[in-house]
Amino acid sequence: VALSYGIRRTSSEHYGQTAEEQAGAFNLPTAGLVKSLKSLSDDFNRFSFGITYRRMAQFDQEILIQGRNPESSVIDQWIANSNGLSPDELIPAGLLYEGMAWEGFLTDVADSSTWAYISFATGLDLDQQQRVVRDGSRDELMISFAGSHDHRLFYGLSIGVPFLNYTEEITYAESGFDANSTIDRFDLVDRYNLTATGVNFNLGVQYRLTYWWRVGAAYRSPTWYATTGGFDTELNTNFRNGGGAGPIAYFNDQLAYGLTSPQRFLFSTAFVMGQQGFINIEYRTSNLRNHRLRSDDFDLDGIEQAIDRQLQREQTIRIGGEYVLENISLRAGYAMSSSPYSEEGSGLTLIQTMALGAGYAFSKFKIDVGWRLTRGSRNAFLYSPDFVAPSRLGETRSVLVAGMQFAL
């Protein structure tokens, strides 16, 4: 059983102005029970069964991006996308924000013969702000079987049932228009929610080549999710004379669809130093484009292709070790992961993780503490990169874990 507390700090820079937000939460990262069973034969000399609950991911995060943009407004993008279409054609053409902008008096038709648009929100050097609030987690209940043959071949099989819940609210605002503008400010709020339950399986083997050297491989199947998600968006416009338009709101009912996540492969080697410890090296890879969306009611091919264009193969290298000195065990580890995004504009650096831990073994139980630090940075765009420069986001996540193991 373990308990953890994590803090996620996010810093941003937008046109020279910086901001920082943080979110923290307590979690129960793992709880489980393992039972050793009687050997089936002299060759199959170890067998165990386990039930484990694990928190695989925690989504709590707050991001604030703000600054004065001397170059553009998101309204410029909405005008460019709207040109050539009548107001009644915008939303059916998939231009939801552009249709809402026209309804909210942020854009208007200047020439109905060509359907050219203008805006009553004029001026540059605008105050722009985006706040993102995320919440949720991905947990997994796992039933595991493990054994060994002749003390050389170690193998395991597990069946996992993951549970996912996720919510996100994105608030975008612009203000600071010039004195000739009839618009004082506007706020656009997007809300998303997602719940899913799935199933997967895992296979793993490790072979002891010599007393001190082992090699291994593991396979994690795709996860087959049954998913339900929803979305709503709301626009409010404030006029300079004190009036306003809105809320202009659109939403969809909860949509049910299937999601298949990519499979994953892992290869490892370990060097055992007798009873004093070990060093382990792992390589993990997954092609994030190998996902699938399916629905009996909707055509999701366009969404699937758009996601494919943004993702690529993800790779992670991890090295870690443990040293045992009588009842005390000391651990350290380091990992680096490549960018999951294929677009060059993402500007994502390598994601780096460092970890330290220590434990003390008593006769019937063991206490353990650990600390993990993850860092990375990337570009973010408040709207299309054709109209706005990238904002820089930096993220640091620190997690402290304390746990106990009991021998029953």
Side-chain angles (χ1 to χ4, degrees), residues 37 39 41 43-48 146-149 151 154-155:
L37 304 178
S39 299
S41 67
D43 292 335
F44 291 90
N45 37 45
R46 184 182 301 171
F47 192 73
S48 61
S148 67
H149 180 268
H151 298 288
F154 305 88
Y155 52 88

Side-chain angles (χ1 to χ4, degrees), residues 54-57 59 136-140 162-164 220 225:
R54 294 180 61 192
R55 174 144 293 180
M56 309 296 288
F59 302 128
S137 62
R138 179 165 61 90
D139 304 324
E140 187 165 278
F163 307 91
L164 187 150
R220 182 179 179 90
Y225 284 107

Side-chain angles (χ1 to χ4, degrees), residues 9 13 62-63 80 129 239 293 385:
R9 292 187 177 90
E13 181 178 357
E62 294 187 18
I63 301 172
Q129 183 184 96
F239 301 140
L293 298 172

